[in-house]
Amino acid sequence: MRSRMELERIEELSLSPGAVRSAKSKGRIHPEPLHPYRTSFQRDRDRIIHSTAFRRLEYKTQVFIYHEGDYYRNRLTHTIEVQQIARTLARGLGLNEDLTEAISLAHDIGHTPFGHKGEYALQEEMKRHGQSFEHNRHGLRIVDLLEKRYPSFNGLNLSWEVREGIVRHSTHYDTPETTEFSFFLSPSLECQIVNKADAIAYTSHDIDDGIQSKILDETELSKISLWNKALKTIPSHHNREMKHRIGVRNLINILVSDILRESSKKLTETRPNHVDEVRAMPSIIAHSQKIGALYNDLNSYLFQKMYNHYRVIRMAEKASRIIHDLFEAYIHEPRQLPPSVYQKIQSEKKEQVICDYLAGMTDRFALDEYSRLFNPHTLV
């Protein structure tokens, strides 16, 4: 049986110089004895998987609200796809797969119901009350405070490096608003990988879901250079459905392969010997200039044709009204909250308690709660 010390020794010998070693973690907020046969980051990964917030991702929106159909991605399936892509990148670059996996699994743990539109609605409500909300920062709040699984401390007590990965998760749609961890120019290479894997996952699966829902026009989409490149090697005898599925797979492979080549070149040029040197440098994990430009064109097309499609806008606006109405109903009369939630108002600001409660809801629960509060024919 391999002990934790043996696994740490393997990391020391096999990982790239700029990778994070679990034996050299900056530690946890609450000191704990080390595990006999799991590294710190393996332990973090397992704690995230067993958390309540992680399980709720199954019924939280990616693009399509859960009742629109069982085929479409949700936050949980998206998270699993991010994890798979990120591990491939970490393995290819000789980085810490366990840390990468833990950050991947937790990167959306602070998301509200109804995706980014739900987040924007909560931001607006909290701003009206002189406070703020941002899902990466809320993810850190979940793992540091809101999860209740241990008798001696609140939260999951994750390692510093995983917490850094949660709060510094950054993509085109994710802009962290926090001063914690910002004293470094860049996060770890493992965190940078998850940022890229997240973007690749949502682009590729949004194309898949967009074609399946008939929101995207396949003929029009095929004129976009990067998608056309992904389709080029597919034999003509395949049917329409098979072609677009192979195309999605090819697209992921093109983007992942490009990151591996470009990032490997950058690592060779910069030669970081320690993760602290990585944190002092501009981001190293990147696309090549050529593929990056093509990728931006594809994302611009998706923004125009899919995310601004009238069906998606209708879903988003409906979601926004639900969050606003629920927040205002609880603010007006907080005794409508469940007793276990209402009692927290004695020790925390009312707005923060309501925000935590709403952010933790799944799409399904939020829709049911809305019906209970506003539909006169629904039992309360």
Side-chain angles (χ1 to χ4, degrees):
M1 184 182 74
R2 285 180 172 175
S3 66
R4 183 201 76 257
M5 293 178 66
E6 174 66 11
L7 295 175
E8 291 173 347
R9 190 181 74 83
I10 292 170
E11 283 185 2
E12 188 61 43
L13 294 173
S14 63
L15 295 183
S16 298
V20 179
R21 271 74 173 162
S22 56
K24 296 177 181 178
S25 168
K26 294 180 183 291
R28 306 178 187 277
I29 296 173
H30 308 282
E32 293 183 68
L34 295 172
H35 198 273
Y37 53 84
R38 284 185 298 164
T39 67
S40 294
F41 302 143
Q42 288 173 342
R43 233 172 151 185
D44 291 340
R45 173 203 60 203
D46 299 343
R47 289 181 179 192
I48 292 161
I49 289 173
H50 289 280
S51 68
T52 301
F54 181 77
R55 289 196 301 276
R56 286 175 177 162
L57 294 176
E58 181 177 6
Y59 294 105
K60 290 195 175 188
T61 291
Q62 184 61 29
V63 173
F64 295 91
I65 297 175
Y66 90 97
H67 64 248
E68 295 289 332
D70 293 338
Y71 178 87
Y72 306 117
R73 270 70 169 190
N74 55 54
R75 283 285 162 192
L76 183 59
T77 57
H78 163 72
T79 295
I80 293 169
E81 291 180 21
V82 172
Q83 174 201 30
Q84 176 265 314
I85 293 169
R87 285 196 66 166
T88 299
L89 288 168
R91 186 171 298 172
L93 294 172
L95 304 179
N96 195 310
E97 292 180 45
D98 294 323
L99 174 58
T100 302
E101 187 176 19
I103 297 171
S104 298
L105 292 170
H107 85 278
D108 268 353
I109 207 166
H111 247 298
T112 64
F114 311 125
H116 286 284
K117 196 64 178 180
E119 178 177 12
Y120 299 151
L122 266 185
Q123 285 174 351
E124 290 169 359
E125 289 293 344
M126 291 296 279
K127 187 175 180 180
R128 287 176 56 197
H129 294 278
Q131 299 178 60
S132 63
F133 177 85
E134 193 273 327
H135 84 264
N136 293 302
R137 183 159 43 81
H138 187 67
L140 192 63
R141 180 173 169 81
I142 287 170
V143 301
D144 283 355
L145 180 67
L146 298 182
E147 284 283 337
K148 310 290 185 185
R149 310 193 74 82
Y150 301 93
S152 54
F153 52 77
N154 291 328
L156 302 179
N157 199 29
L158 302 182
S159 63
W160 189 94
E161 291 75 11
V162 176
R163 295 174 63 246
E164 174 197 37
I166 293 171
V167 82
R168 295 205 66 178
H169 178 62
S170 178
T171 68
H172 179 69
Y173 294 99
D174 299 295
T175 52
E177 299 173 0
T178 181
T179 55
E180 190 172 5
F181 300 96
S182 62
F183 39 81
F184 293 115
L185 178 62
S186 300
S188 67
L189 292 170
E190 288 80 2
C191 178
Q192 293 178 39
I193 275 179
V194 175
N195 292 342
K196 293 300 182 185
D198 182 27
I200 292 172
Y202 68 63
T203 298
S204 57
H205 64 49
D206 286 353
I207 288 175
D208 190 13
D209 288 352
I211 292 173
Q212 183 71 21
S213 65
K214 296 183 171 56
I215 284 177
L216 294 179
D217 181 278
E218 293 178 72
T219 302
E220 190 178 60
L221 179 60
S222 66
K223 296 175 184 176
I224 305 301
S225 296
L226 190 56
W227 180 246
N228 183 264
K229 183 179 174 68
L231 296 177
K232 272 185 177 178
T233 60
I234 303 174
S236 58
H237 66 268
H238 287 305
N239 63 32
R240 167 191 162 273
E241 187 173 13
M242 184 56 66
K243 281 183 179 179
H244 96 246
R245 289 183 175 174
I246 296 174
V248 168
R249 194 158 63 242
N250 288 348
L251 176 63
I252 294 172
N253 190 57
I254 290 167
L255 293 171
V256 168
S257 299
D258 180 67
I259 286 178
L260 287 172
R261 286 191 296 267
E262 184 67 15
S263 301
S264 180
K265 185 172 72 174
K266 285 194 168 187
L267 284 167
T268 301
E269 291 170 355
T270 55
R271 295 186 178 278
N273 288 313
H274 191 274
V275 65
D276 286 344
E277 293 182 16
V278 170
R279 293 189 174 108
M281 298 176 182
S283 183
I284 293 172
I285 306 301
H287 286 291
S288 66
Q289 188 173 0
K290 178 183 177 181
I291 294 296
L294 295 178
Y295 185 46
N296 288 337
D297 289 343
L298 177 59
N299 278 318
S300 295
Y301 172 83
L302 288 175
F303 184 82
Q304 179 185 359
K305 297 295 184 178
M306 183 169 178
Y307 309 136
N308 280 319
H309 190 276
Y310 84 94
R311 284 174 57 196
V312 175
I313 295 296
R314 281 183 176 185
M315 286 186 285
E317 289 305 307
K318 184 193 300 185
S320 182
R321 286 192 295 272
I322 291 169
I323 294 295
H324 282 298
D325 289 349
L326 287 175
F327 195 100
E328 289 306 313
Y330 297 140
I331 284 287
H332 175 71
E333 179 48 89
R335 288 176 297 178
Q336 295 181 94
L337 292 163
S340 61
V341 178
Y342 177 68
Q343 69 180 10
K344 295 178 182 178
I345 294 175
Q346 298 174 14
S347 57
E348 295 186 69
K349 290 182 179 179
K350 177 172 64 174
E351 295 80 12
Q352 185 62 63
V353 172
I354 292 170
C355 181
D356 290 342
Y357 183 53
L358 281 170
M361 290 181 178
T362 62
D363 293 13
R364 179 171 60 180
F365 187 88
L367 289 167
D368 289 345
E369 183 74 344
Y370 188 87
S371 181
R372 284 190 287 268
L373 292 184
F374 296 104
N375 187 339
H377 302 292
T378 301
L379 295 176
V380 296

